[in-house]
Amino acid sequence: MNLIEFLIQRQSTPAKYLIEPAPSHEELQQLVAAAHSAPDHGALKPWRFLVISGSARYALGELFVRALLQRAPHTEPDLLERERERALRAPMLVAAIARLDHAHPKVPATEQLIAAAIATHQLMLAANHLGYGTIWLTGSRVYDRQVMSGLGLAPEEELIGLINIGTVADTASPRQPQRRKSDITYWQGE
């Protein structure tokens, strides 16, 4: 499949269909190398990635629960269990972290955030190219400062997503990617 076909066919795989094996350490190095080729004004590399796999996923689930209880102390036990299980669906999660320098004299924080997002997407594309399924997940847990702190993020860092990665299970139903048509318009000047 050529590159254009690959990009057109790319789709997210629900985390519940991601199973072992996850990428090896050597494959992770390739994924990060792909991320480092992202457009990056000022060559700031305003991103980093934190891999969460194995038993660390259980600790992440407990962190999710603590953060939810902080936000909503009276959360029902079944919802707490559901929150805990979010960390266990895929065999590997990669925390995508943006390191933003709001005082940078030439590169606005918005451009830094965009660069971090593009690097994250390139990591996902590289994982897909190696045959793994991926999905970029966010939600209240991702934007929670308690979760960010628990993951060791510095004050100038933001968690922008949890990339779930794994082998696509045979039970995953094949589906056509749903695409919204984008119009192409041409500006003709004033």
mmCIF file of all heavy atoms in Angstrom, residues 46-48 97-102 145 148-149 151-160:
data_model
loop_
_atom_site.group_PDB
_atom_site.id
_atom_site.type_symbol
_atom_site.label_atom_id
_atom_site.label_comp_id
_atom_site.label_asym_id
_atom_site.label_seq_id
_atom_site.Cartn_x
_atom_site.Cartn_y
_atom_site.Cartn_z
ATOM 1 N N PRO A 46 8.844 20.456 21.731
ATOM 2 C CA PRO A 46 8.012 20.724 22.909
ATOM 3 C C PRO A 46 7.095 19.560 23.269
ATOM 4 O O PRO A 46 5.887 19.723 23.479
ATOM 5 C CB PRO A 46 7.220 21.962 22.477
ATOM 6 C CG PRO A 46 7.038 21.759 21.006
ATOM 7 C CD PRO A 46 8.319 21.104 20.533
ATOM 8 N N TRP A 47 7.648 18.365 23.300
ATOM 9 C CA TRP A 47 6.868 17.178 23.648
ATOM 10 C C TRP A 47 7.768 16.154 24.302
ATOM 11 O O TRP A 47 8.987 16.202 24.193
ATOM 12 C CB TRP A 47 6.216 16.567 22.409
ATOM 13 C CG TRP A 47 7.204 16.115 21.370
ATOM 14 C CD1 TRP A 47 7.965 14.962 21.388
ATOM 15 C CD2 TRP A 47 7.572 16.787 20.177
ATOM 16 N NE1 TRP A 47 8.764 14.896 20.286
ATOM 17 C CE2 TRP A 47 8.538 16.012 19.512
ATOM 18 C CE3 TRP A 47 7.160 17.985 19.585
ATOM 19 C CZ2 TRP A 47 9.114 16.372 18.307
ATOM 20 C CZ3 TRP A 47 7.739 18.350 18.375
ATOM 21 C CH2 TRP A 47 8.694 17.551 17.750
ATOM 22 N N ARG A 48 7.128 15.251 24.984
ATOM 23 C CA ARG A 48 7.787 14.042 25.467
ATOM 24 C C ARG A 48 6.720 12.981 25.615
ATOM 25 O O ARG A 48 5.516 13.278 25.630
ATOM 26 C CB ARG A 48 8.571 14.272 26.750
ATOM 27 C CG ARG A 48 7.752 14.496 28.010
ATOM 28 C CD ARG A 48 8.683 14.713 29.209
ATOM 29 N NE ARG A 48 7.958 14.997 30.429
ATOM 30 C CZ ARG A 48 7.663 14.096 31.360
ATOM 31 N NH1 ARG A 48 8.018 12.835 31.217
ATOM 32 N NH2 ARG A 48 7.007 14.455 32.456
ATOM 33 N N ILE A 97 2.773 14.295 26.087
ATOM 34 C CA ILE A 97 2.960 15.450 26.961
ATOM 35 C C ILE A 97 3.523 16.621 26.166
ATOM 36 O O ILE A 97 4.539 16.477 25.476
ATOM 37 C CB ILE A 97 3.914 15.087 28.121
ATOM 38 C CG1 ILE A 97 3.324 13.911 28.916
ATOM 39 C CG2 ILE A 97 4.189 16.287 29.008
ATOM 40 C CD1 ILE A 97 4.318 13.220 29.827
ATOM 41 N N ALA A 98 2.865 17.759 26.261
ATOM 42 C CA ALA A 98 3.350 18.992 25.632
ATOM 43 C C ALA A 98 4.094 19.800 26.678
ATOM 44 O O ALA A 98 3.592 20.007 27.786
ATOM 45 C CB ALA A 98 2.184 19.793 25.066
ATOM 46 N N ARG A 99 5.304 20.223 26.335
ATOM 47 C CA ARG A 99 6.107 21.092 27.210
ATOM 48 C C ARG A 99 6.063 22.487 26.616
ATOM 49 O O ARG A 99 6.725 22.764 25.616
ATOM 50 C CB ARG A 99 7.552 20.603 27.276
ATOM 51 C CG ARG A 99 7.717 19.292 27.989
ATOM 52 C CD ARG A 99 9.185 18.965 28.150
ATOM 53 N NE ARG A 99 9.845 18.947 26.844
ATOM 54 C CZ ARG A 99 10.749 18.041 26.476
ATOM 55 N NH1 ARG A 99 11.093 17.103 27.304
ATOM 56 N NH2 ARG A 99 11.291 18.087 25.292
ATOM 57 N N LEU A 100 5.273 23.353 27.214
ATOM 58 C CA LEU A 100 5.023 24.671 26.628
ATOM 59 C C LEU A 100 5.813 25.764 27.330
ATOM 60 O O LEU A 100 5.769 25.891 28.548
ATOM 61 C CB LEU A 100 3.531 24.982 26.682
ATOM 62 C CG LEU A 100 2.613 23.935 26.032
ATOM 63 C CD1 LEU A 100 1.170 24.339 26.164
ATOM 64 C CD2 LEU A 100 2.994 23.714 24.576
ATOM 65 N N ASP A 101 6.517 26.533 26.516
ATOM 66 C CA ASP A 101 7.235 27.701 27.008
ATOM 67 C C ASP A 101 6.418 28.926 26.610
ATOM 68 O O ASP A 101 6.538 29.432 25.495
ATOM 69 C CB ASP A 101 8.635 27.743 26.397
ATOM 70 C CG ASP A 101 9.443 28.953 26.851
ATOM 71 O OD1 ASP A 101 8.898 29.816 27.586
ATOM 72 O OD2 ASP A 101 10.620 29.046 26.449
ATOM 73 N N HIS A 102 5.567 29.393 27.516
ATOM 74 C CA HIS A 102 4.673 30.523 27.232
ATOM 75 C C HIS A 102 5.434 31.837 27.061
ATOM 76 O O HIS A 102 4.881 32.797 26.535
ATOM 77 C CB HIS A 102 3.621 30.657 28.334
ATOM 78 C CG HIS A 102 2.638 29.530 28.334
ATOM 79 N ND1 HIS A 102 1.543 29.495 27.520
ATOM 80 C CD2 HIS A 102 2.615 28.360 29.041
ATOM 81 C CE1 HIS A 102 0.869 28.379 27.717
ATOM 82 N NE2 HIS A 102 1.499 27.681 28.630
ATOM 83 N N ARG A 145 -5.182 18.088 36.643
ATOM 84 C CA ARG A 145 -3.830 18.396 37.143
ATOM 85 C C ARG A 145 -3.358 17.351 38.142
ATOM 86 O O ARG A 145 -2.156 17.101 38.253
ATOM 87 C CB ARG A 145 -3.786 19.778 37.794
ATOM 88 C CG ARG A 145 -3.671 20.978 36.899
ATOM 89 C CD ARG A 145 -2.701 20.992 35.754
ATOM 90 N NE ARG A 145 -1.313 20.688 35.971
ATOM 91 C CZ ARG A 145 -0.388 20.748 35.004
ATOM 92 N NH1 ARG A 145 -0.693 21.127 33.784
ATOM 93 N NH2 ARG A 145 0.857 20.430 35.257
ATOM 94 N N MET A 148 -1.942 14.661 36.061
ATOM 95 C CA MET A 148 -0.669 15.127 35.500
ATOM 96 C C MET A 148 0.435 15.095 36.551
ATOM 97 O O MET A 148 1.553 14.636 36.288
ATOM 98 C CB MET A 148 -0.826 16.533 34.925
ATOM 99 C CG MET A 148 -1.684 16.589 33.684
ATOM 100 S SD MET A 148 -1.701 18.265 32.993
ATOM 101 C CE MET A 148 -3.390 18.374 32.436
ATOM 102 N N SER A 149 0.117 15.564 37.741
ATOM 103 C CA SER A 149 1.093 15.558 38.827
ATOM 104 C C SER A 149 1.485 14.126 39.190
ATOM 105 O O SER A 149 2.666 13.828 39.401
ATOM 106 C CB SER A 149 0.511 16.289 40.037
ATOM 107 O OG SER A 149 1.411 16.249 41.108
ATOM 108 N N LEU A 151 1.602 11.633 37.321
ATOM 109 C CA LEU A 151 2.464 11.091 36.263
ATOM 110 C C LEU A 151 3.830 11.782 36.225
ATOM 111 O O LEU A 151 4.676 11.437 35.401
ATOM 112 C CB LEU A 151 1.779 11.230 34.898
ATOM 113 C CG LEU A 151 0.568 10.325 34.674
ATOM 114 C CD1 LEU A 151 -0.120 10.663 33.365
ATOM 115 C CD2 LEU A 151 0.985 8.852 34.702
ATOM 116 N N GLY A 152 4.022 12.762 37.106
ATOM 117 C CA GLY A 152 5.312 13.425 37.188
ATOM 118 C C GLY A 152 5.495 14.601 36.254
ATOM 119 O O GLY A 152 6.628 15.026 36.003
ATOM 120 N N LEU A 153 4.395 15.145 35.732
ATOM 121 C CA LEU A 153 4.512 16.287 34.836
ATOM 122 C C LEU A 153 4.901 17.540 35.607
ATOM 123 O O LEU A 153 4.445 17.756 36.735
ATOM 124 C CB LEU A 153 3.200 16.548 34.086
ATOM 125 C CG LEU A 153 2.993 15.747 32.799
ATOM 126 C CD1 LEU A 153 2.857 14.266 33.073
ATOM 127 C CD2 LEU A 153 1.795 16.266 32.053
ATOM 128 N N ALA A 154 5.728 18.348 34.983
ATOM 129 C CA ALA A 154 6.124 19.634 35.552
ATOM 130 C C ALA A 154 4.996 20.641 35.327
ATOM 131 O O ALA A 154 4.124 20.423 34.472
ATOM 132 C CB ALA A 154 7.412 20.114 34.877
ATOM 133 N N PRO A 155 4.989 21.747 36.061
ATOM 134 C CA PRO A 155 3.910 22.734 35.914
ATOM 135 C C PRO A 155 3.737 23.265 34.496
ATOM 136 O O PRO A 155 2.629 23.601 34.093
ATOM 137 C CB PRO A 155 4.317 23.858 36.878
ATOM 138 C CG PRO A 155 5.183 23.188 37.895
ATOM 139 C CD PRO A 155 5.913 22.096 37.153
ATOM 140 N N GLU A 156 4.820 23.345 33.726
ATOM 141 C CA GLU A 156 4.714 23.868 32.358
ATOM 142 C C GLU A 156 4.336 22.788 31.346
ATOM 143 O O GLU A 156 4.238 23.064 30.153
ATOM 144 C CB GLU A 156 6.031 24.540 31.932
ATOM 145 C CG GLU A 156 7.192 23.601 31.715
ATOM 146 C CD GLU A 156 7.940 23.220 32.995
ATOM 147 O OE1 GLU A 156 7.531 23.622 34.100
ATOM 148 O OE2 GLU A 156 8.954 22.509 32.864
ATOM 149 N N GLU A 157 4.095 21.578 31.818
ATOM 150 C CA GLU A 157 3.725 20.485 30.925
ATOM 151 C C GLU A 157 2.224 20.216 30.991
ATOM 152 O O GLU A 157 1.597 20.415 32.035
ATOM 153 C CB GLU A 157 4.484 19.210 31.290
ATOM 154 C CG GLU A 157 5.978 19.324 31.058
ATOM 155 C CD GLU A 157 6.722 18.050 31.398
ATOM 156 O OE1 GLU A 157 6.403 17.423 32.430
ATOM 157 O OE2 GLU A 157 7.622 17.679 30.629
ATOM 158 N N GLU A 158 1.694 19.767 29.864
ATOM 159 C CA GLU A 158 0.278 19.412 29.785
ATOM 160 C C GLU A 158 0.144 18.039 29.167
ATOM 161 O O GLU A 158 0.790 17.735 28.163
ATOM 162 C CB GLU A 158 -0.478 20.415 28.910
ATOM 163 C CG GLU A 158 -0.547 21.805 29.473
ATOM 164 C CD GLU A 158 -1.306 22.765 28.571
ATOM 165 O OE1 GLU A 158 -2.173 22.308 27.788
ATOM 166 O OE2 GLU A 158 -1.025 23.971 28.647
ATOM 167 N N LEU A 159 -0.711 17.230 29.747
ATOM 168 C CA LEU A 159 -1.047 15.941 29.166
ATOM 169 C C LEU A 159 -2.055 16.220 28.056
ATOM 170 O O LEU A 159 -3.101 16.821 28.300
ATOM 171 C CB LEU A 159 -1.642 15.031 30.242
ATOM 172 C CG LEU A 159 -1.972 13.607 29.861
ATOM 173 C CD1 LEU A 159 -0.752 12.865 29.328
ATOM 174 C CD2 LEU A 159 -2.538 12.877 31.080
ATOM 175 N N ILE A 160 -1.729 15.824 26.821
ATOM 176 C CA ILE A 160 -2.635 16.114 25.711
ATOM 177 C C ILE A 160 -3.367 14.872 25.218
ATOM 178 O O ILE A 160 -4.258 14.978 24.382
ATOM 179 C CB ILE A 160 -1.924 16.835 24.546
ATOM 180 C CG1 ILE A 160 -0.797 15.999 23.959
ATOM 181 C CG2 ILE A 160 -1.438 18.202 25.005
ATOM 182 C CD1 ILE A 160 -0.178 16.590 22.695
#
